[in-house]
Amino acid sequence: MNFSVPEGGGVRVIYQFTSEPPAVSFRATGEKDGIIDIVPKTGVLYLSGSLDWETKAVHRLQVESLDEKGNVVKGPYAVTIYVEDINDNPPQFDQIKYAGVVRQNSRPGSNIGTLLATDMDEEGTLNSRLQFKIRSQVPAIPASNLFFIQQETGILQLTSRSLNRRIASNYSLKVLVTDGVFQTICDVQIYVIDINDRIPIFEKSDYHNVTVAESLPVGTVILEIQATDGDEPATGSSYIIYQVKEGDPNNMFIIETDSKTNRGFVKINKTLDFEAASVYNLVISATNPEPLVPGVQYNSSSLTSFKVFVTNVDEPPVFHKTVYKAEVSEGIPVNSLVMTVEAYDPEGDTVRYSLEGDVRKWLRIDSATGQVYTASTLDREQQGTYTVEVVASELSNNLQPCIEFHFIMNKTNTDVNDNPPVLAMDYPPFFCHPLRGGEQALIQAADADEQLNYPTFTFSLADDMNARNNWKISKINTTHAYLSPKHANFEEKVYNVPVIINDNGNPPLERKVNLEGMLCSELFVSRQQLHL
């Protein structure tokens, strides 16, 4: 059994079932939802409240007739109740307020935007069919019907009249949407934006001549220029970009714009050079970042020109390198060529060279050629890296730049072994009386020369019969050895033990040292005697 019941309406009877003996009552089960029920004794199917189509559109129940003992006599019967929608919901816009933009002088029929609205009533029925309408326009100038909204789609468009920002920069609309019973209104704000229909115009077509010295630093302002634009201020249609259109292939100049005043500042972008270019014939253009509207083009009013004359400044000589480096052996002969430095004068004057900071007087320089020679014997142990300044000056002027000249002495191939080995430290007396046997003392050698790999030393007793009879020396590795007594029969006194230390240098050097083999508790300072 199917029933159609309009939503709302409150308490009401839907249908009354009749019973046949032995049935005496009825029972309803299913989707009653606390609203639909049946009177057991009478069989009246009724609503105890209002149905809501938006909440539930269909209710499905089963009805049975029962005997006195509650047994089913007939049924269950399927009962379906269809809830009929009524127009009980107003339409709603998807936004409280809309905003759109439109360019001035846009063509009639141009779309501004689309307004969207929904209705919770049943779709596809008159209850949810929506229509749009413009209720008001403020300001109503130059006419009250500048905008149109498509009734069914909500598309907002321009009418046949074009907008002019100078007349009104924005419009406020009240737009209504209705479903035939209810209506809702929203606000629409439309902003009229400027179009780029005016070109920048220079106040002067020729700024004549500008004279600058080639020594002016990069970033210096050499000229201020001005163009004006009639489009809306502070927009891409009125902001002016200045560019050097002709006469500057190497980008020696740059122009920056003051965003508030549109004034242009011509600046030096790269170091000027009188010898490279003494005159620049510049043509400057003024354009906007926003494209011009069709039919409008830049012309000669957006161009200006001027000449830049660069004056010569006597510049100091210039080195080909900022730093020169050379690597030599400390054994290089005096008057050996170390390096040649080169400088030139931009004006073509003759360059002369000199040295500064040669505190050890190791070098000399040919003032005409820039050739650097050794002036005395070099010593890496005194200073491994030697830095001096080379000065280049004009022969007819005192202008002079400096560069650093580093030269490093190495000992990798032509080493000069000019330092004999020594004891690594001053050793105190080694032994105390009486000896118990087995005593030994560790000694270490060192060398001031730079070694190619690892230092190698040999240790031996001097050709002294007394020393050889009483002492012995045993090598541990290339830098260390043990000194030990051969017996324990020593008197309590100080014994000087002569030891020879040899290195592996070129040429080889040796040193004789006297070690104090002490047979008492008093300490003595060691003594060394050089023997080459």
Side-chain angles (χ1 to χ4, degrees):
M1 301 179 68
N2 299 327
F3 301 95
S4 292
V5 181
E7 65 177 326
V11 177
R12 57 191 140 156
V13 175
I14 300 175
Y15 182 78
Q16 183 172 7
F17 293 89
T18 59
S19 63
E20 296 179 2
V24 296
S25 63
F26 296 89
R27 179 174 63 193
T29 59
E31 299 174 347
K32 297 188 290 182
D33 297 330
I35 300 175
I36 307 171
D37 211 343
I38 193 167
V39 179
K41 293 295 184 179
T42 63
V44 173
L45 185 67
Y46 68 96
L47 297 177
S48 62
S50 296
L51 296 176
D52 185 9
W53 179 89
E54 286 76 22
T55 302
K56 193 168 187 174
V58 180
H59 296 263
R60 291 178 172 85
L61 296 86
Q62 295 80 37
V63 177
E64 302 167 314
S65 61
L66 308 174
D67 61 16
E68 290 182 352
K69 295 181 179 181
N71 298 318
V72 176
V73 176
K74 288 186 179 182
Y77 295 99
V79 177
T80 304
I81 299 174
Y82 295 95
V83 182
E84 296 177 3
D85 181 42
I86 64 173
N87 194 351
D88 59 350
N89 290 283
Q92 299 292 332
F93 284 99
D94 69 338
Q95 295 179 211
I96 298 176
K97 185 175 183 178
Y98 288 83
V101 295
V102 60
R103 293 180 181 275
Q104 67 174 0
N105 295 327
S106 294
R107 292 177 298 177
S110 298
N111 289 347
I112 301 172
T114 301
L115 278 65
L116 299 177
T118 57
D119 193 304
M120 291 183 63
D121 290 317
E122 186 174 3
E123 186 177 357
T125 67
L126 291 177
N127 296 336
S128 60
R129 182 184 178 184
L130 305 181
Q131 293 184 330
F132 298 87
K133 181 181 179 180
I134 296 176
R135 169 172 281 189
S136 64
Q137 168 197 311
V138 178
I141 54 173
S144 60
N145 59 341
L146 297 176
F147 306 96
F148 169 78
I149 191 166
Q150 293 187 13
Q151 183 175 279
E152 301 292 335
T153 63
I155 297 175
L156 186 62
Q157 298 174 306
L158 284 176
T159 61
S160 59
R161 297 178 180 273
S162 296
L163 303 181
N164 189 327
R165 179 178 171 79
R166 295 171 182 81
I167 296 176
S169 62
N170 63 85
Y171 291 87
S172 296
L173 306 181
K174 297 250 184 223
V175 177
L176 175 148
V177 62
T178 180
D179 60 7
V181 175
F182 300 99
Q183 66 181 30
T184 304
I185 297 175
C186 78
D187 294 323
V188 178
Q189 194 73 27
I190 299 176
Y191 298 94
V192 182
I193 61 175
D194 189 25
I195 58 173
N196 195 7
D197 58 351
R198 300 189 181 188
I199 64 173
I201 299 175
F202 274 103
E203 64 178 5
K204 297 180 182 179
S205 61
D206 190 341
Y207 281 84
H208 306 296
N209 303 330
V210 178
T211 301
V212 297
E214 65 176 343
S215 60
L216 282 180
V218 171
T220 301
V221 177
I222 64 171
L223 181 66
E224 294 184 16
I225 57 179
Q226 182 72 65
T228 57
D229 193 300
D231 289 310
E232 182 183 359
T235 66
S237 299
S238 62
Y239 180 79
I240 298 177
I241 299 174
Y242 297 99
Q243 292 177 307
V244 180
K245 188 174 182 180
E246 297 177 11
D248 186 20
N250 296 320
N251 299 318
M252 305 302 291
F253 304 94
I254 191 172
I255 308 174
E256 296 180 357
T257 304
D258 184 324
S259 59
K260 294 182 179 179
T261 64
N262 265 340
R263 194 164 188 80
F265 299 87
V266 184
K267 296 182 178 182
I268 298 174
N269 189 44
K270 297 180 181 178
T271 302
L272 300 175
D273 186 356
F274 172 82
E275 287 72 24
S278 60
V279 179
Y280 293 88
N281 293 298
L282 303 183
V283 177
I284 310 300
S285 66
T287 59
N288 304 124
E290 184 76 18
L292 294 172
V293 297
V296 178
Q297 295 181 342
Y298 296 107
N299 55 40
S300 58
S301 299
S302 299
L303 298 175
T304 190
S305 62
F306 62 91
K307 289 185 178 181
V308 178
F309 291 93
V310 182
T311 59
N312 188 30
V313 176
D314 194 4
E315 301 166 280
V318 179
F319 280 97
H320 291 292
K321 298 180 181 179
T322 56
V323 176
Y324 285 82
K325 293 183 179 181
E327 189 169 322
V328 298
S329 169
E330 69 174 352
I332 189 173
V334 175
N335 291 324
S336 295
L337 179 64
V338 175
M339 172 71 71
T340 299
V341 298
E342 294 181 274
Y344 68 93
D345 184 72
E347 287 76 34
D349 200 356
T350 301
V351 177
R352 60 184 179 186
Y353 303 91
S354 60
L355 295 179
E356 288 187 1
D358 183 17
V359 294
R360 297 190 181 277
K361 306 301 180 183
W362 281 352
L363 304 172
R364 66 177 180 84
I365 190 169
D366 188 311
S367 62
T369 65
Q371 294 175 317
V372 181
Y373 297 90
T374 58
S376 59
T377 302
L378 309 180
D379 188 351
R380 194 202 65 81
E381 285 71 37
Q382 290 188 16
Q383 193 166 344
T385 299
Y386 192 54
T387 302
V388 299
E389 287 186 344
V390 179
V391 178
S393 57
E394 297 175 355
L395 189 62
S396 59
N397 201 319
N398 290 327
L399 292 175
Q400 50 185 18
C402 297
I403 57 103
E404 283 191 349
F405 169 56
H406 301 280
F407 97 97
I408 304 169
M409 288 171 286
N410 68 76
K411 301 176 75 114
T412 56
N413 296 317
T414 56
D415 182 22
V416 176
N417 188 24
D418 54 358
N419 291 279
V422 296
L423 290 174
M425 59 178 287
D426 288 338
Y427 289 97
F430 295 109
F431 309 109
C432 291
H433 187 273
L435 296 177
R436 298 181 179 87
E439 290 88 348
Q440 57 184 13
L442 180 68
I443 60 174
Q444 179 184 357
D447 195 325
D449 290 309
E450 182 179 351
Q451 303 296 326
L452 180 60
N453 296 309
Y454 296 99
T456 300
F457 303 105
T458 58
F459 300 85
S460 61
L461 293 171
D463 190 11
D464 181 294
M465 185 62 67
N466 184 49
R468 292 178 181 274
N469 289 336
N470 293 317
W471 306 90
K472 66 178 180 180
I473 193 161
S474 305
K475 183 176 180 180
I476 301 175
N477 53 34
T478 59
T479 58
H480 292 75
Y482 280 129
L483 176 68
S484 58
K486 284 186 173 183
H487 55 83
N489 300 320
F490 287 92
E491 297 178 9
E492 185 178 355
K493 66 176 184 178
V494 175
Y495 292 84
N496 288 322
V497 184
V499 176
I500 304 296
I501 306 175
N502 294 85
D503 63 18
N504 64 339
N506 180 24
L509 297 178
E510 69 176 34
R511 184 185 292 270
K512 179 181 178 182
V513 298
N514 285 326
L515 297 175
E516 295 179 346
M518 180 86 177
L519 295 184
C520 67
S521 59
E522 185 180 357
L523 299 180
F524 288 83
V525 180
S526 64
R527 297 182 294 277
Q528 297 181 348
Q529 175 183 350
L530 177 64
H531 177 69
L532 299 179

